[in-house]
Amino acid sequence: MGASGSGGEPSGRERVLSVWKRVLALAWPIMAEQTTRTLMRTVDIIVTGLFSPAAIAAIGLADLYARLPLRIGLGLGGGAIALSSQDTGSGATETRDEAITQAILLGAIAGVPFVLFGILLSEYAIAVLGAESAVVTYGSVYLAIIMATAPARHVGIIAARALQGTGDTISPMVVNVLANVLNVTGSVVLGLGLLGAPRLEVVGVGLATAGANVFTALALLGILAGPWRASSLVRPTDWIIAKQLLAVSAPRIAEGLIATAIEFPFNSILLLISTEANAAYQIGRRVYQQISSPLSRGYHVAASIVVGQHLGEGNPDTARFDGWAIAGLGLATVGVIGLFLAVFAPQFVRIFTDDPETADHAVTFARAYGLSAPFLVVYVAIAGALQGASETIYPLLARSSGLFLFYLCFSYVAAISLDWGVFGVAAGVFLYYLWALCVVSWAYLERDWAAKAARMMAERGSRSSE
C-alpha cells in the first residue's frame, strides 16, 4: 500500500505532518516572541542577582501580584482568540471585529484597580508574605511601578491574542520582540547604571518593564485600527457577543487568579524553608521557562487558532485530530528538551547564582520542571485546543484542582510536615502537572466541545444553526 489511504485520502502520517507544518508556521512567531519575553524576565533576575539574593526574592514576590493583571489579560485574550479564530474560519468578520473591540475595552477598564493597588498597598502586599525587610523594600517599589501600567498590559495581551486568532501571528511578534528588546536594554542600562544612566537597581528594572508595556499596547492598537488591516476596531453594540466573550473568558480568568492566589501560600512554604529556597525556586522555574516555555506557549496559541478555525469552517473531526497532532508535536520537542534540562540543570543554574545553597536547591527545582515537561506540554496543547472551541471550564478544573491538591497541599505536607524540604515541593510540582494532564485529556476525549462551539456561533450569527 502507498503512502496515501484509499480513495486518494492522505494517510495518518501525512495528515500529522501537514498539521505540524501549519502549526509551526503559526507558532514560530509566537515562540520567537515568548523567547524574548522570557529572556527579558531572565535578564531581570540576572541583573537583580548582582544586587543580592534579597533582590531576586523581591522580584519573585512582586511578580506574584503582577500576575493578577496578567491573568485577567490572558483570560480576556483567551475569549478574544476563541471568537476571532472561529469567526475567521466562518467568514463572520463583523462579529469578529466586535469581539476584539469589546475584549480590549474590558481589559483597559479592568486594569484601573491594579493601578490603585500598586499605589496604596504595594508595601503591605510584600510584607504580609513574611518577607525580610530588605525584600519588602525592593519588592514594594518594583510592584508599584509595574502595577501603574496594568491597563496597558491588558490591552497589549488582548490585542495580540485577537490578531493571532485571525491567523496573523507575525504582527504581534514584531511588536512584542521590539518591546522585549527595549525592556532588556532598559533593565541592563537603568539597573546597572551603564552608558551614563543613573544606577537605579530594582527601580530601573521596573521602569524598563513598565515602558515596554505601554509601547506594546499603543503599537498593537495602531495595527488593529490601521486601514491596512482586514480586521478593525468598531463601536460595540452586540450584547450577545459580550456575553459569550465573558462566558469564555471568565473560566480562564478564574483559572489564572486561582493559580496566582495559590502562589502566595506556596511561596510562604518556600520561605518557611529558607529565603534561599524561595530564590532557588524562582531560578529553577526561570531556567525551565527560558528553554521550554516559548515552545509550549506557541503550541497552546496555535492549537486555539487551528481548532477554532476548523470549527468555524464546520469541520469538528478535523479539529479533534489536529488537537492530538499538536500535542504530539509538543511531546516530540518540549518533552525531549525537558529531559535534556533535567540532565544538565547544574550547568544552567550556574548562570543565575553562585550561592552554594541557592544553587543546590535550584537544581532540584529545575530537574522537577524538566521531568514534568512531557506532561506539561501535552496539557498546554490540549487546553489550547479546548480554548479554541470556547471550552474553558475543563482546563480550569484540571489546573485548579491540581494546584490545590498537589502544588500546595502535597508540597506543604511533604516539605514541612514530613520534613522533606525542597524535594517535597519539587515532588508536588511534578504531581500537579501529571494530574492536570489526566483531567484535561479526559475532557478532550469525552466531552462534546465541538457542539458547544457550534451552538455559540449560531447564537451570535457567525454560522447557521444547521
Side-chain angles (χ1 to χ4, degrees), residues 8-9 59 111 126 168 175 197 278 283 288 306 313 317 339 362 426:
E9 290 295 322
I59 295 293
I126 303 298
D168 177 11
V175 171
N278 186 282
I283 292 171
Y288 169 79
V306 170
E313 295 164 356
D317 291 340
L339 298 179

Side-chain angles (χ1 to χ4, degrees), residues 367-393:
R367 284 178 170 156
Y369 273 101
L371 293 174
S372 303
F375 308 132
L376 173 58
V377 70
V378 176
Y379 161 77
V380 165
I382 297 301
L386 290 171
Q387 176 179 266
S390 301
E391 181 54 88
T392 50
I393 292 291

